Amino acid sequence: MNWVLVQKDLRLLRLAMLAAVGIALTFYVVVASITFVSWQKGQIREESRINRIYHREIQHDSSDNSRRLALFVADNCTPVSILYVVLIAAVGAMAFARERRDRSAEFLAMLPVSIRRQSAIKLVVSVAVSVLPLAVNAMVFLIASLWFARAYWGAMPVYGYLQVQAGPFGWRAVAVIVSVGLVAWIALRWLGWPWRLIVAATVLAALLTVDVVGVAWWTGSQSAGVWFNPRDWRPAAITAVFAYVGVVSSIFGLAWLLSSATRSSVLSAVFGLGLPLFAMTAVNETTRRADEASILRATGIAGVAVGALCVAAGCVVQSKRPTP
Amino acid sequence: MIETNVMTDRAIAFANVTRRFGRRNVVDNLSLDCPAGSFTGLIGLNGAGKSTLLRMSVGLLAPTEGSIVSAGCNVRRDSVEMKRRVGYVPDRPNIYSWMRAGEAIAFVRKFHTTWNQPRCEDLIRRFRLPLETKVKHMSKGQAAKLQLLLAVCHDPAVLILDEPTSGFDPVVREEFFEGILEFAADRGQTILFSSHALADVQRLADRVALMHEGKLLMAGTTDEIIDRVKRVRVILEEDAGPPTPSSAALLQSPASVLREQRAGREWTLTIDHFSPATLHELRAKPGVTRLDVLDLNLDDVFKDIVRGRDEAAV
């Protein structure tokens, strides 16, 4: 019985899983292509600036292209991680809303299995679908970083800077996510297939554009970050992981909660993504002069707590009102 | 409410059930019993509260007040056990649209230890269900038949159907009801279904419950209701004034006027609990020259009750 529910939930999240693979493959292929061409010309860039929200920048002075390649690959795992944040919002948002919308929630509710068990299985599947691509991406990042670190062990860079971008870009991102999401929601109310796919692709493209175009508008003074010594990278890595896990937890949790209360996956995803991003941007804006590492860690812990609370609240809402 | 028979051996029992949406009582302090093995038709206008009542009977909605027992299980407390014993067919198919018919059957079968595979195969053949077709590509009739198959193949003690044949062509509707009747006849299950097709209700149901604006107006066996409600056409003398006192007071208990109309000399009354005594009473009224007693079908009874209430309210 449990396995049947797992299979059903995996089927419902099939699109999200395909998107995860697509995002990763697209970026890896693009990175590999650029790297290969640059390598052939002997012009591998020293820094990757594809993304500015979470940007890892390591200063170094090597002219060894193979080492730079490792750095480049590792650096370009970051935008994949960011797009996965959108994906995780979508996974959380699809938890209940979609089944409510097409009334299959009613079909499910008439099966002799408790709503609590259904929600638990759905949570396990959703978390697995969210974590698996993240884990694969982290693995690529880790392998590339280790390759870089091993190659550079004798001549490690002097310092590193783990950076979390806030400022106007953060606000723009919130505004674009919410406005584009609302437009998508309105469109989805009235449009059928294949327009829905076109709208979804447009939303994704808009988010990507914000990410890439934002680089051009960004001014370095708006960032918050942590300086670290690459020879002792653990504190910075732990801070980064804390912050990232906090972000994705709060986004997933909020999208999950909204999904249990509405019939719209799009609205759940939009506000699940927009509200935490808004809160984090506000926190970064108001506390920029404080100890940034502490803020990032606190943000991470708060994000996990908020996410867990939202998931629990979503399960309670669903148990009280399993059908539209 | 005019009458609710008190039954023992109840398969479905609503006790003082109220469901509020905002300030509106969609179901208002309703009590109804469906005896085991009965085939009860629930009738009423759109918005009468039928679907809400049926959804509450299978736990898809919680009552604001009151309690519901389905197949011997308290719907709120023993919901999982209740779902093992109850089959439900909604007004619109709600099976995952991406599933193929065969997948949907395999999916539901895994949840029921009492799944009756020979019956399932028989229904697949009789309903001519295309197992390889996705639900979203099925016709409305095919999807409804699949929904019925999924609702009956675990041999539930109670089957609840919410306007299952609305929008069907006559052939599909006939096949659908044949399936239900056979199911009920074979196993002696209890069926509660709502429908706007009153001819079907009269033909199939042995009991009828009439809802209006969230209240239960009338409940009983179909034959009893048709037997006890009569339309009486009274021809009055030329110069007869309006009947006084009011028509309701004209008749002694237990008879009661459900609807009255006056057009010239013709005074038409629809009377519940009609009896020969009622006829004598009417005949004895001054100005009455002629009386005709007309039998009604369920459709007429329903319309007269609903219109009578609406006219009385005006």
Side-chain angles (χ1 to χ4, degrees):
Chain A
M1 182 198 300
N2 292 347
W3 179 238
V4 178
L5 290 172
V6 168
Q7 283 177 313
K8 181 266 297 175
D9 285 326
L10 283 173
R11 174 61 181 76
L12 287 174
L13 292 173
R14 191 170 70 173
L15 194 64
M17 291 190 288
L18 288 174
V21 173
I23 288 168
L25 283 180
T26 305
F27 264 86
Y28 295 158
V29 166
V30 167
V31 168
S33 306
I34 294 172
T35 306
F36 180 74
V37 172
S38 306
W39 198 354
Q40 292 293 87
K41 293 179 180 174
Q43 294 172 346
I44 289 193
R45 293 164 60 192
E46 289 199 353
E47 298 170 11
S48 166
R49 294 220 166 193
I50 286 177
N51 161 64
R52 292 283 180 157
I53 300 178
Y54 300 94
H55 179 62
R56 192 177 61 83
E57 184 180 308
I58 299 177
Q59 305 291 324
H60 57 92
D61 56 2
S62 171
S63 56
D64 183 340
N65 276 344
S66 66
R67 292 164 190 174
R68 289 182 179 181
L69 169 64
L71 172 63
F72 194 47
V73 170
D75 214 23
N76 280 292
C77 286
T78 318
V80 177
S81 303
I82 290 162
L83 285 178
Y84 279 167
V85 172
V86 180
L87 182 82
I88 285 165
V91 170
M94 279 195 278
F96 305 113
R98 191 174 158 190
E99 287 173 326
R100 280 171 184 277
R101 190 180 179 86
D102 65 11
R103 290 174 44 125
S104 49
E106 238 179 45
F107 176 64
L108 202 59
M110 277 313 296
L111 296 172
V113 56
S114 68
I115 303 292
R116 195 179 301 168
R117 180 183 286 198
Q118 290 177 23
S119 298
I121 288 171
K122 199 177 277 288
L123 181 61
V124 169
V125 171
S126 299
V127 169
V129 166
S130 304
V131 167
L132 197 64
L134 282 179
V136 170
N137 189 51
M139 193 68 76
V140 173
F141 175 80
L142 192 66
I143 290 167
S145 298
L146 287 177
W147 182 15
F148 171 76
R150 196 180 63 173
Y152 260 85
W153 198 247
M156 282 294 279
V158 183
Y159 60 86
Y161 186 62
L162 178 76
Q163 180 178 292
V164 177
Q165 171 65 40
F169 180 77
W171 298 117
R172 277 200 299 273
V174 172
V176 168
I177 287 167
V178 172
S179 55
V180 171
L182 288 176
V183 168
W185 175 68
I186 291 165
L188 288 175
R189 296 275 294 181
W190 305 105
L191 298 178
W193 194 261
W195 290 103
R196 289 183 174 192
L197 183 65
I198 293 168
V199 169
T202 309
V203 171
L204 196 63
L207 293 176
L208 195 59
T209 306
V210 167
D211 190 37
V212 175
V213 174
V215 173
W217 295 345
W218 175 67
T219 56
S221 62
Q222 301 295 338
S223 66
V226 186
W227 290 99
F228 71 99
N229 178 356
R231 289 175 194 276
D232 184 17
W233 51 271
R234 285 184 190 82
I238 290 168
T239 302
V241 169
F242 255 111
Y244 189 76
V245 170
V247 168
V248 296
S249 299
S250 58
I251 286 173
F252 176 82
L254 192 59
W256 175 280
L257 173 59
L258 292 170
S259 175
S260 71
T262 70
R263 276 192 265 183
S264 170
S265 301
V266 174
L267 283 187
S268 303
V270 164
F271 288 103
L273 199 57
L275 290 177
L277 196 54
F278 176 87
M280 282 182 291
T281 307
V283 168
N284 272 326
E285 282 284 280
T286 52
T287 56
R288 201 173 301 146
R289 291 176 191 281
D291 176 4
E292 289 162 346
S294 304
I295 291 168
L296 287 176
R297 285 198 198 100
T299 304
I301 293 167
V304 170
V306 167
L309 276 175
C310 285
V311 166
C315 290
V316 170
V317 171
Q318 178 66 10
S319 69
K320 298 282 180 200
R321 201 172 62 97
T323 59
Chain B
M1 196 190 90
I2 293 164
E3 183 194 357
T4 302
N5 289 349
V6 177
M7 290 287 168
T8 54
D9 197 14
R10 302 165 306 175
I12 308 169
F14 300 90
N16 306 112
V17 173
T18 295
R19 173 69 205 199
R20 269 182 223 109
F21 288 118
R23 288 182 175 181
R24 185 168 165 246
N25 283 0
V26 175
V27 174
D28 191 0
N29 195 29
L30 184 146
S31 296
L32 173 69
D33 296 325
C34 300
S38 66
F39 196 143
T40 306
L42 187 61
I43 59 177
L45 297 175
N46 288 331
K50 304 186 298 295
S51 291
T52 303
L53 189 72
L54 294 185
R55 286 166 62 79
M56 285 194 290
S57 72
V58 291
L60 293 177
L61 269 178
T64 312
E65 290 168 22
S67 66
I68 302 168
V69 172
S70 284
C73 300
N74 183 295
V75 170
R76 296 188 81 172
R77 281 205 308 270
D78 317 313
S79 69
V80 173
E81 183 56 33
M82 181 272 294
K83 287 166 191 169
R84 288 197 182 99
R85 301 184 192 178
V86 174
Y88 172 67
V89 179
D91 53 347
R92 279 182 287 161
N94 57 17
I95 306 164
Y96 289 102
S97 59
W98 47 266
M99 278 185 177
R100 297 176 195 282
E103 282 178 311
I105 292 168
F107 180 75
V108 174
R109 186 173 54 205
K110 297 258 172 54
F111 291 91
H112 292 287
T113 50
T114 55
W115 188 261
N116 187 335
Q117 188 58 23
R119 180 180 191 85
C120 175
E121 286 164 9
D122 178 46
L123 284 176
I124 290 170
R125 192 174 55 252
R126 290 186 46 213
F127 285 163
R128 298 183 296 280
L129 283 173
L131 296 181
E132 291 305 312
T133 304
K134 287 187 175 179
V135 172
K136 63 183 170 190
H137 295 140
M138 285 180 158
S139 69
K140 194 174 178 183
Q142 283 176 326
K145 285 176 187 169
L146 175 62
Q147 195 95 46
L148 178 65
L149 180 148
L150 296 177
V152 301
C153 281
H154 62 285
D155 284 342
V158 169
L159 181 61
I160 292 171
L161 306 103
D162 186 4
E163 294 181 34
T165 59
S166 61
F168 285 11
D169 64 60
V171 174
V172 172
R173 199 169 73 206
E174 194 62 35
E175 287 175 352
F176 189 89
F177 278 125
E178 270 174 22
I180 294 172
L181 281 175
E182 190 177 303
F183 163 78
D186 281 359
R187 321 241 161 218
Q189 279 102 341
T190 308
I191 297 177
L192 172 62
F193 80 113
S194 69
S195 179
H196 288 296
L198 299 189
D200 286 337
V201 175
Q202 185 170 348
R203 184 166 57 93
L204 299 168
D206 52 26
R207 299 181 61 80
V208 173
L210 195 162
M211 281 186 77
H212 187 59
E213 294 176 348
K215 294 180 188 296
L216 186 66
L217 294 187
M218 184 178 277
T221 66
T222 313
D223 292 341
E224 177 202 353
I225 286 174
I226 289 172
D227 202 38
R228 81 186 200 200
V229 179
K230 300 288 179 197
R231 188 179 290 160
V232 181
R233 194 169 59 208
V234 182
I235 306 297
L236 300 168
E237 287 174 354
E238 196 70 55
D239 56 347
T244 54
S246 71
S247 58
L250 273 173
L251 305 174
Q252 298 298 313
S253 183
S256 60
V257 175
L258 298 174
R259 188 185 186 206
E260 62 174 305
Q261 295 164 280
R262 178 75 189 268
R265 290 172 58 203
E266 192 173 301
W267 181 36
T268 309
L269 299 165
T270 306
I271 298 171
D272 188 23
H273 289 292
F274 182 85
S275 67
T278 316
L279 196 61
H280 289 305
E281 194 184 343
L282 280 171
R283 201 167 272 152
K285 299 294 170 195
V288 173
T289 60
R290 193 177 134 198
L291 278 172
D292 294 321
V293 180
L294 308 171
D295 288 331
L296 299 176
N297 59 26
L298 191 60
D299 193 45
D300 296 324
V301 172
F302 170 70
K303 285 175 187 164
D304 277 5
I305 291 175
V306 170
R307 284 176 182 157
R309 285 185 69 89
D310 290 346
E311 286 160 7
V314 170

Coordinates of all heavy atoms in Angstrom, one line a residue, chain A residues 33-45 63 65 68:
Chain A
S33 N 30.9 23.2 -22.3 CA 31.1 23.7 -23.7 C 32.0 24.9 -23.6 O 33.0 25.1 -24.3 CB 29.8 24.0 -24.4 OG 29.0 22.9 -24.4
I34 N 31.6 25.9 -22.7 CA 32.4 27.1 -22.6 C 33.8 26.8 -22.2 O 34.8 27.3 -22.7 CB 31.7 28.1 -21.6 CG1 30.3 28.5 -22.1 CG2 32.6 29.3 -21.2 CD1 29.5 29.3 -21.0
T35 N 33.9 25.9 -21.2 CA 35.2 25.6 -20.7 C 36.1 25.0 -21.8 O 37.2 25.3 -21.9 CB 35.1 24.6 -19.5 OG1 34.2 25.1 -18.6 CG2 36.4 24.3 -18.9
F36 N 35.5 24.1 -22.5 CA 36.2 23.4 -23.6 C 36.7 24.4 -24.6 O 37.9 24.4 -25.0 CB 35.4 22.3 -24.3 CG 36.1 21.6 -25.3 CD1 37.0 20.6 -25.0 CD2 35.8 21.8 -26.7 CE1 37.7 19.9 -26.0 CE2 36.5 21.1 -27.7 CZ 37.4 20.2 -27.4
V37 N 35.8 25.3 -25.0 CA 36.2 26.3 -26.0 C 37.3 27.2 -25.5 O 38.3 27.5 -26.1 CB 35.0 27.1 -26.5 CG1 35.4 28.3 -27.4 CG2 34.0 26.2 -27.2
S38 N 37.1 27.6 -24.2 CA 38.1 28.5 -23.6 C 39.4 27.9 -23.4 O 40.5 28.4 -23.6 CB 37.6 29.0 -22.3 OG 36.3 29.6 -22.4
W39 N 39.3 26.6 -23.0 CA 40.5 25.8 -22.8 C 41.3 25.7 -24.1 O 42.6 25.9 -24.1 CB 40.1 24.4 -22.3 CG 41.2 23.7 -21.6 CD1 42.5 24.1 -21.5 CD2 41.1 22.5 -20.9 NE1 43.2 23.2 -20.8 CE2 42.4 22.1 -20.4 CE3 40.1 21.6 -20.7 CZ2 42.7 21.0 -19.7 CZ3 40.3 20.4 -20.0 CH2 41.6 20.1 -19.5
Q40 N 40.6 25.5 -25.2 CA 41.3 25.4 -26.4 C 42.0 26.7 -26.8 O 43.1 26.7 -27.4 CB 40.3 25.1 -27.5 CG 39.6 23.7 -27.5 CD 40.6 22.6 -27.7 OE1 41.3 22.1 -26.8 NE2 40.7 22.2 -29.0
K41 N 41.4 27.8 -26.4 CA 42.0 29.1 -26.6 C 43.0 29.5 -25.5 O 43.6 30.6 -25.6 CB 40.9 30.2 -26.7 CG 40.0 30.0 -28.0 CD 39.0 31.1 -28.0 CE 38.0 30.9 -29.2 NZ 36.9 31.9 -29.1
G42 N 43.0 28.7 -24.4 CA 43.8 29.1 -23.3 C 43.3 30.3 -22.5 O 44.1 31.1 -22.0
Q43 N 42.0 30.4 -22.5 CA 41.4 31.6 -21.9 C 40.4 31.3 -20.8 O 39.3 31.9 -20.8 CB 40.7 32.5 -22.9 CG 41.7 33.1 -23.9 CD 40.9 33.7 -25.1 OE1 39.7 33.5 -25.2 NE2 41.6 34.5 -25.9
I44 N 40.6 30.4 -20.0 CA 39.6 30.1 -18.9 C 39.6 31.3 -18.0 O 40.6 31.8 -17.5 CB 40.0 28.8 -18.2 CG1 39.8 27.6 -19.1 CG2 39.2 28.7 -16.9 CD1 39.8 26.3 -18.5
R45 N 38.3 31.7 -17.7 CA 38.1 32.9 -16.8 C 38.6 32.6 -15.4 O 38.4 31.4 -14.9 CB 36.7 33.3 -16.9 CG 36.2 33.8 -18.2 CD 34.7 33.8 -18.3 NE 34.2 34.7 -17.2 CZ 32.9 34.7 -16.9 NH1 32.1 33.9 -17.5 NH2 32.5 35.5 -15.9
S63 N 48.1 29.9 -13.6 CA 47.8 29.9 -15.0 C 47.5 28.5 -15.6 O 47.5 28.3 -16.8 CB 49.0 30.6 -15.8 OG 50.1 29.8 -15.5
N65 N 45.4 25.8 -16.7 CA 44.0 25.7 -17.1 C 43.3 24.5 -16.5 O 42.1 24.6 -16.2 CB 44.0 25.6 -18.6 CG 44.0 26.9 -19.2 OD1 43.8 27.9 -18.6 ND2 44.3 27.0 -20.5
R68 N 42.1 25.6 -13.2 CA 41.0 26.6 -13.4 C 39.7 25.9 -13.8 O 38.6 26.4 -13.4 CB 41.4 27.7 -14.4 CG 42.5 28.6 -13.8 CD 42.8 29.6 -14.8 NE 43.8 30.5 -14.3 CZ 44.3 31.5 -15.0 NH1 43.8 31.8 -16.2 NH2 45.2 32.3 -14.5

